[in-house]
Amino acid sequence: MAQYIKAPNPTLITLPLQMATKTLLTLALTSLFIGLSAADWNILSRKWQNARQDSWKNYCESWRINVEVHNIRDFEVVPQECVDYIRKYMTSSQYKADSERAIEEVRLYLSRCSCCSLKGDGKDAWIFDVDDTLISTIPYFKKHGFGGEKVNSSSLEAWMEESKAPALDQTLGLFQEIRDKGFKTFLVSSRRETLRSPTVDNLINVGYHGWTKLILRGLDDEYVQVQQYKSQVRKELVDQGYRIWGIIGDQWSSLKGLPDAKRTFKLPNSIYYHS
């Protein structure tokens, strides 16, 4: 009697093959994705590092700009993350270009017919700040943290006594132009009166001559905020009949307060803040 062997169901044979194929494909794809993920992780790490650097750069530029427009006030030190950025800016051609642009705005103001019709009575005045307006303290801060540490007044004054601060050339030219136009030029500084002699020597040595008066802080002014002290100086000048056509300085405390000038001009400085 013939025996018939039942043929296997093709479907039953196909299923294990499909499962094996899927398993192999899954393993291959998994290996591929693991490799890609590792590669992507390395790439992303570099991108993340660059993004982090860009983020700090943007933060520090934003911090500096907000100091300049007086949104950030009364800071004692530059944020540590931004010290190197501020150092690079304050020693860069961009700092010089920003200062020169401010000086050019002064010249444009002086050239307008509506400005400064001098009466010839010796009462038309212009006020200059001294440090980081006429002469630069950057050489000092290069050795003292560029704003990343609190200002040591004793150390800074010892440096000032050496009379080695260089002129800010763009302001030196402007000072000479304003003086030659017939303005009485008042140099109003937050330096103490004890620094008068080295300050005068320093100014003369770098080319400043012919100012009307150098005003420094006396004993009565030492515990007064800078803005209050400089406002009081302006009041005394106005009481003497002077017309203050302009002020140029690197600190808002040199520019704000009453009585004010007809125009004020701010030079960049984000190393320190005088209130």
Side-chain angles (χ1 to χ4, degrees), residues 79-218:
Q80 289 301 311
E81 299 85 355
C82 299
V83 170
D84 190 54
Y85 176 85
I86 296 302
R87 176 187 63 79
K88 289 178 180 178
Y89 170 75
M90 293 296 294
T91 56
S92 71
S93 58
Q94 186 61 55
Y95 164 72
K96 184 177 180 180
D98 292 344
S99 299
E100 289 174 345
R101 181 61 196 175
I103 297 300
E104 189 58 31
E105 288 299 317
V106 179
R107 290 192 173 104
L108 288 172
Y109 168 64
L110 291 169
S111 69
R112 297 186 184 121
C113 295
S114 59
C115 164
C116 317
S117 300
L118 305 188
K119 294 186 177 181
D121 58 358
K123 293 296 185 180
D124 296 297
W126 195 284
I127 294 176
F128 289 86
D129 191 4
V130 175
D131 289 305
D132 296 301
T133 298
L134 298 180
I135 52 180
S136 174
T137 64
I138 287 178
Y140 171 82
F141 284 103
K142 279 183 178 179
K143 299 179 180 179
H144 295 85
F146 253 101
E149 55 190 57
K150 289 184 180 181
V151 177
N152 183 316
S153 298
S154 298
S155 173
L156 179 57
E157 289 185 354
W159 179 81
M160 290 174 173
E161 287 176 352
E162 297 176 0
S163 304
K164 293 182 178 179
L168 289 167
D169 293 336
Q170 58 271 19
T171 319
L172 175 58
L174 178 69
F175 169 83
Q176 293 167 341
E177 292 173 30
I178 288 177
R179 179 199 62 197
D180 293 345
K181 283 180 178 291
F183 288 95
K184 298 299 181 181
T185 51
F186 292 90
L187 315 186
V188 183
S189 174
S190 58
R191 291 188 178 200
R192 295 196 297 171
E193 182 63 39
T194 54
L195 290 168
R196 177 171 294 278
S197 181
T199 301
V200 170
D201 289 344
N202 198 156
L203 289 167
I204 292 174
N205 290 342
V206 298
Y208 291 97
H209 307 278
W211 61 79
T212 304
K213 189 175 183 180
L214 171 64
I215 301 173
L216 304 177
R217 299 180 78 169

Side-chain angles (χ1 to χ4, degrees), residues 6-21:
K6 188 174 180 180
N9 189 330
T11 302
L12 297 176
I13 296 174
T14 303
L15 285 173
L17 288 174
Q18 290 176 339
M19 291 176 65
T21 302

